[in-house]
Amino acid sequence: MATKLILNVLFLLFFAVIEASSPGKYARVVRSSIVSNTTYDFVIIGGGIGGLTVADRLTEDPNVTVLVIEYGPFDKGEDSVLIPGAYNPFPYLKQDLFSVPQPGLTNEPEFIPVGSVVGGGSTVNAMFFIRCTSEDYDSVASFGNPGWGSSDLLPYFKKSENFTAPDPTFAKERNITFEPSFHGTLGPVHASYSPFDYPGGQNFWDASLSLGIPELEDPDSGESNGLFWLLRALNPDTETRSYARIAHYDRVIATRPNYHLMPETAAGKLLFEGKKAVGVQYINRTSGVVTNVTATKEVILAAGAVHSPQILILSGVGPKKTLDQFNISLVHDLPGVGTNFQDHLDYAITYNFSANLFPNADDMVDNATYIAEQRVVYDTTRRGPFTLILTTGNDFVTLPLRNATSDWESVLASAQSINPASILPNGTDPTVLAGYIVQRENLLARFAGYKTPIGSISWNTGSTTTLYMIKPLSRGSVTIGSTDPLTNPVVDFGAVKDPTDLDLMLALFLKNREIMQQPSMQVLGPTEVVPGANVTSDEALKAAFRATIVPTNGHACCTLPMVPLALGGVVNDVLQVHGLESLSIVDNSIWPIILSGAPSATVYAEAEKAADIIKKRYGLTSG
Ligand SMILES: Cc1cc2nc3c(=O)[nH]c(=O)nc-3n(C[C@H](O)[C@H](O)[C@H](O)COP(=O)(O)OP(=O)(O)OC[C@H]3O[C@@H](n4cnc5c(N)ncnc54)[C@H](O)[C@@H]3O)c2cc1C
Ligand SMILES: *[C@@H]1O[C@H](CO)[C@@H](O)[C@H](O)[C@H]1NC(C)=O
Ligand SMILES: *[C@@H]1O[C@H](CO)[C@@H](O)[C@H](O)[C@H]1NC(C)=O
Ligand SMILES: *[C@@H]1O[C@H](CO)[C@@H](O)[C@H](O)[C@H]1NC(C)=O
Ligand SMILES: *[C@@H]1O[C@H](CO)[C@@H](O)[C@H](O)[C@H]1NC(C)=O
Ligand SMILES: *[C@@H]1O[C@H](CO)[C@@H](O)[C@H](O)[C@H]1NC(C)=O
Ligand SMILES: *[C@@H]1O[C@H](CO)[C@@H](O)[C@H](O)[C@H]1NC(C)=O
Ligand SMILES: *[C@@H]1O[C@H](CO)[C@@H](O)[C@H](O)[C@H]1NC(C)=O
Ligand SMILES: *[C@@H]1O[C@H](CO)[C@@H](O)[C@H](O)[C@H]1NC(C)=O
Ligand SMILES: *[C@@H]1O[C@H](CO)[C@@H](O)[C@H](O)[C@H]1NC(C)=O
Ligand SMILES: *[C@@H]1O[C@H](CO)[C@@H](O)[C@H](O)[C@H]1NC(C)=O
Ligand SMILES: *[C@@H]1O[C@H](CO)[C@@H](O)[C@H](O)[C@H]1NC(C)=O
Ligand SMILES: *[C@@H]1O[C@H](CO)[C@@H](O)[C@H](O)[C@H]1NC(C)=O
């Protein structure tokens, strides 16, 4: 009876919440005044993929109360967010976030794209929805994390996903293949193929085939090398973005009075009692007012790979040297925090075509008549190029080093001759160096095999082919430059500190030149503009790469790695921070080595698994 009474009182309180926060569509959006009067079991920092997925799953238990603190606002359902062909991430990216100058590139600071909005990266990303080679996950397991191998994660990939098969006629025409047993159909995040391709897609497909690159049945099978069609986080009924805000907030919120979200609020630091996390100090971004909130069970840090380490350091958890330098009182000396930063490198090759096909991806950028005409098609039939993320293509070639270049052995030999310590900053903690040495051994062994890709090649059918270099050996870092939590962290991509990364890019580049030489591409009359057909020596090509490589694809990761303490680790295999209590990390920071593919599908699966781990830890129930 007493319990029931408490529950009723809780319910009344929550209805008061709805009243107080002028609900509209988002009834559980709360203000500080409500937060101050509520007791939370879990406080989650960051309402991105990791944060919202865990918040959704934990609040399936009606006895659990959760608060998500999110730096950004809700999106307003703009076309730029929802409609793939109207894609524009910029309004919801953190606008002023730049790295330190990158001497390996042009020695300029580089923009760091980070979603700053409810849904995080999933609200602004290019909707690539893909898993990675089974060797990626099996390697994570081999670093002391038994539950994180590919077969352990498969059930969580399936749980997270609602896969819709393409129309069979269209699939046959466009060579879309998939293996249903690898997919889920009951999960919250839609996965489907754009029902449109430009005619040039066929030329790229045929050129790749004529070079002997095999068609891949399903890149989500654990086998990711070959030629395939890209799956997207796309709702197949409306042909609009499927993202964490809809999948893990809007979908459930009407029945979850126990799920609170406070937007436009920055988490400043974690509050500790000894080694136990007990709450969060947050800042209203409008008023600057600073408030504390208590978490009776756990604080879950999910602010992404750039901001999670910043928040830890500001809280007194990180390399002691840094904490001392800023006079931050030490809670726990953890040398790995903010080390091991990685991202994918993009290189754009541009062409002039004398006989390209109409329409192609460029028409959606520069032909106003076509754009207007196709918008009507989309609005009336949900078909056409507006179902495809602007400027991207559907066809992908993903290759291991050995298939990208016959020179693979010399690339490996020169990588092996590099002293790992020379790639990390002087004075790097020995445990962090030990971890990096283990990573290099793992990667170089995989580079000698056929399963782990080094990159992807995709022609968008217009003027651009993008090379995605996905297995860098270089490492960067995240630290603080100020104790003010609203000041951006100091981020170093460490781009191409290891020159092997340029060898890997070169291998992809030369393979792409071979693709372009095939008859089915030559009929389109391509002339390479950037870097230019006359740029041919390895050294000149590498110089060209340094001039225009973008050191990020928005896939920042790995700054709080899940490896043992002796290897510079920050979290253990159940996502708890080493040496601390009541603190978990659930975001893209935890991977030791950057994943081969775009990370969103894996972060959803990680967070599904994290929710199960945390529920088990506290004996919570599922919905
Ligand atoms: C432009 C762009 C394109 C991308 N394209 C793709 C793609 O096509 N496919 C793909 O798979 N991946 C893509 N990604 C990457 C993918 O979206 C991210 O890797 C993924 O969202 C990471 O999830 P996360 O939970 O780690 O962090 P996020 O989803 O980034 O969530 C972190 C959240 O924490 C919030 N936050 C940060 N600091 C604070 C603070 N102090 N207080 C409160 N909240 C805070 C942020 O505002 C954000 O909402 C792209 C990313 C970008 C930026
Ligand atoms: C932040 O402060 C502004 C201005 O005082 C207020 O309108 C807003 O509701 C506050 N936000 C939260 C989440 O409390
Ligand atoms: C919390 O609730 C009490 C009682 O309803 C109210 O008096 C108080 O003003 C509230 N606190 C805040 C910060 O709104
Ligand atoms: C909620 O908690 C009460 C009291 O501890 C318990 O009796 C009840 O079974 C719980 N409900 C669920 C769904 O776990
Ligand atoms: C999965 O997606 C399909 C297509 O949108 C939809 O009809 C179905 O209801 C979805 N399933 C679930 C469990 O949401
Ligand atoms: C599909 O693949 C076949 C060969 O398997 C090829 O001939 C055809 O051109 C491809 N079609 C497209 C649209 O890529
Ligand atoms: C790579 O090369 C091997 C050996 O020739 C071949 O079996 C495999 O199909 C190739 N894979 C790709 C993706 O090119
Ligand atoms: C918040 O917690 C910190 C650390 O315990 C404390 O110093 C501060 O006074 C608290 N602030 C408020 C407003 O309670
Ligand atoms: C740290 O404290 C010392 C001694 O009080 C002071 O000299 C120094 O300026 C402080 N450093 C910072 C970054 O605040
Ligand atoms: C632009 O699009 C229109 C409408 O589809 C088409 O008729 C026209 O040829 C296109 N113009 C160019 C330069 O391709
Ligand atoms: C790091 O150490 C090496 C070898 O001792 C030295 O050559 C180099 O200048 C140092 N770099 C920095 C940035 O101090
Ligand atoms: C590409 O086309 C543009 C516009 O027609 C022209 O100015 C440029 O010289 C061409 N570049 C090459 C390398 O053919
Ligand atoms: C390639 O040609 C362009 C345009 O003619 C010229 O600017 C550039 O210097 C040439 N590069 C090389 C490596 O010859």
Side-chain angles (χ1 to χ4, degrees):
M1 281 308 279
T3 329
K4 187 131 198 247
L5 190 64
I6 291 166
L7 274 181
N8 282 341
V9 170
L10 266 179
F11 248 90
L12 282 177
L13 181 64
F14 283 121
F15 281 116
V17 167
I18 296 166
E19 289 280 53
S21 56
S22 57
K25 204 169 151 198
Y26 316 117
R28 273 68 183 190
V29 175
V30 292
R31 301 212 178 104
S32 189
S33 51
I34 303 302
V35 169
S36 297
N37 265 350
T38 312
T39 302
Y40 294 101
D41 295 304
F42 298 94
V43 175
I44 300 178
I45 299 176
I49 293 184
L52 293 186
T53 304
V54 167
D56 171 5
R57 295 310 187 187
L58 292 180
T59 54
E60 284 174 352
D61 186 326
N63 281 353
V64 164
T65 49
V66 171
L67 170 69
V68 176
I69 301 174
E70 166 53 44
Y71 186 92
F74 279 89
D75 71 80
K76 298 180 186 64
E78 297 91 334
D79 288 357
S80 60
V81 171
L82 293 178
I83 300 179
Y87 177 53
N88 177 10
F90 292 103
Y92 290 115
L93 297 179
K94 204 170 190 189
Q95 302 292 317
D96 58 350
L97 187 59
F98 288 85
S99 73
V100 300
Q102 295 297 294
L105 304 177
T106 56
N107 208 24
E108 296 292 319
E110 300 274 348
F111 182 61
I112 309 169
V114 163
S116 202
V117 57
V118 175
S122 72
T123 309
V124 297
N125 73 26
M127 294 163 60
F128 293 17
F129 197 72
I130 191 161
R131 302 175 201 165
C132 308
T133 170
S134 57
E135 276 191 354
D136 275 0
Y137 309 118
D138 292 341
S139 295
V140 174
S142 77
F143 299 143
N145 306 300
W148 293 86
S150 55
S151 56
D152 306 303
L153 286 177
L154 183 59
Y156 292 108
F157 276 113
K158 288 181 165 182
K159 181 178 185 182
S160 69
E161 173 193 45
N162 180 358
F163 175 83
T164 299
D167 170 76
T169 311
F170 181 73
K172 198 154 190 285
E173 266 170 33
R174 307 311 306 187
N175 294 324
I176 306 172
T177 56
F178 56 92
E179 169 46 54
S181 66
F182 287 107
H183 293 282
T185 55
L186 300 174
V189 183
H190 285 283
S192 69
Y193 303 92
S194 164
F196 175 82
D197 200 15
Y198 296 104
Q202 176 161 6
N203 298 67
F204 183 77
W205 191 277
D206 292 345
S208 303
L209 279 182
S210 67
L211 262 184
I213 298 167
E215 290 165 316
L216 183 60
E217 187 183 23
D218 189 333
D220 287 355
S221 63
E223 200 59 65
S224 56
N225 289 317
L227 173 61
F228 61 91
W229 247 66
L230 195 65
L231 192 61
R232 310 266 178 165
L234 179 65
N235 179 322
D237 302 323
T238 55
E239 298 296 342
T240 52
R241 175 183 298 274
S242 182
Y243 59 125
R245 179 249 169 105
I246 290 181
H248 291 292
Y249 182 79
D250 291 353
R251 184 180 64 91
V252 297
I253 201 63
T255 59
R256 302 279 175 86
N258 53 339
Y259 182 167
H260 286 185
L261 192 155
M262 183 165 54
E264 294 176 85
T265 305
K269 65 175 184 178
L270 313 174
L271 303 172
F272 287 92
E273 277 171 10
K275 301 274 179 184
K276 183 175 160 55
V278 295
V280 176
Q281 185 165 87
Y282 63 85
I283 303 141
N284 180 317
R285 287 182 55 208
T286 312
S287 66
V289 171
V290 177
T291 314
N292 293 347
V293 59
T294 299
T296 57
K297 289 193 167 68
E298 263 193 32
V299 176
I300 297 171
L301 186 52
V306 173
H307 291 100
S308 285
Q310 176 191 22
I311 294 165
L312 276 183
I313 294 170
L314 290 173
S315 312
V317 178
K320 182 167 184 305
K321 211 164 46 180
T322 311
L323 301 172
D324 288 348
Q325 190 191 337
F326 288 93
N327 292 340
I328 298 170
S329 50
L330 178 84
V331 172
H332 195 61
D333 179 14
L334 206 47
V337 172
T339 65
N340 199 42
F341 182 96
Q342 297 161 62
D343 204 328
H344 294 150
L345 305 176
D346 293 356
Y347 182 70
I349 307 165
T350 59
Y351 301 93
N352 281 349
F353 288 93
S354 59
N356 202 359
L357 303 175
F358 175 84
N360 64 61
D362 289 350
D363 293 300
M364 280 288 284
V365 177
D366 59 20
N367 184 337
T369 315
Y370 182 73
I371 295 169
E373 171 191 290
Q374 292 306 318
R375 183 58 196 255
V376 174
V377 171
Y378 180 82
D379 288 344
T380 53
T381 68
R382 287 293 185 260
R383 286 295 175 267
F386 269 94
T387 65
L388 179 59
I389 281 278
L390 194 64
T391 76
T392 67
N394 287 311
D395 301 314
F396 265 66
V397 164
T398 294
L399 295 170
L401 177 62
R402 292 184 71 154
N403 296 62
T405 175
S406 56
D407 257 359
W408 65 275
E409 282 168 304
S410 68
V411 173
L412 274 183
S414 77
Q416 258 138 6
S417 73
I418 289 169
N419 173 8
S422 72
I423 304 303
L424 304 182
N426 287 350
T428 290
D429 188 88
T431 61
V432 172
L433 176 60
Y436 178 57
I437 289 170
V438 168
Q439 289 185 27
R440 283 183 77 96
E441 281 166 1
N442 171 280
L443 280 169
L444 296 181
R446 289 158 70 187
F447 287 173
Y450 285 110
K451 243 179 122 77
T452 290
I454 58 157
S456 301
I457 302 171
S458 186
W459 179 45
N460 76 352
T461 74
S463 54
T464 308
T465 289
T466 305
L467 307 179
Y468 301 93
M469 208 292 270
I470 58 187
K471 282 292 185 229
L473 291 173
S474 302
R475 296 292 179 264
S477 61
V478 175
T479 187
I480 59 167
S482 159
T483 51
D484 170 16
L486 298 178
T487 299
N488 283 325
V490 175
V491 181
D492 183 359
F493 286 106
V496 304
K497 272 183 103 173
D498 185 325
T500 310
D501 294 349
L502 291 177
D503 291 330
L504 301 181
M505 189 65 95
L506 181 66
L508 294 169
F509 179 86
L510 294 175
K511 181 56 69 174
N512 180 63
R513 272 196 178 158
E514 287 182 50
I515 293 175
M516 296 306 284
Q517 284 304 322
Q518 301 304 304
S520 50
M521 287 308 298
Q522 283 294 308
V523 295
L524 307 177
T527 305
E528 190 184 297
V529 179
V530 175
N534 61 345
V535 184
T536 52
S537 74
D538 290 359
E539 285 323 302
L541 285 167
K542 287 180 185 176
F545 299 161
R546 289 184 194 272
T548 61
I549 275 180
V550 178
T552 168
N553 199 16
H555 300 171
C557 74
C558 309
T559 47
L560 303 172
M562 180 167 62
V563 290
L565 204 50
L567 297 179
V570 175
V571 297
N572 65 18
D573 63 334
V574 286
L575 303 175
Q576 292 165 311
V577 175
H578 290 306
L580 296 174
E581 278 169 64
S582 304
L583 178 60
S584 298
I585 313 287
V586 185
D587 62 21
N588 202 33
S589 313
I590 64 154
W591 308 110
I593 295 177
I594 193 165
L595 301 163
S596 301
S600 66
T602 303
V603 181
Y604 281 113
E606 169 201 336
E608 292 282 10
K609 182 174 165 71
D612 271 7
I613 290 172
I614 295 166
K615 282 176 173 179
K616 197 169 147 207
R617 194 177 289 156
Y618 297 97
L620 311 181
T621 60
S622 294

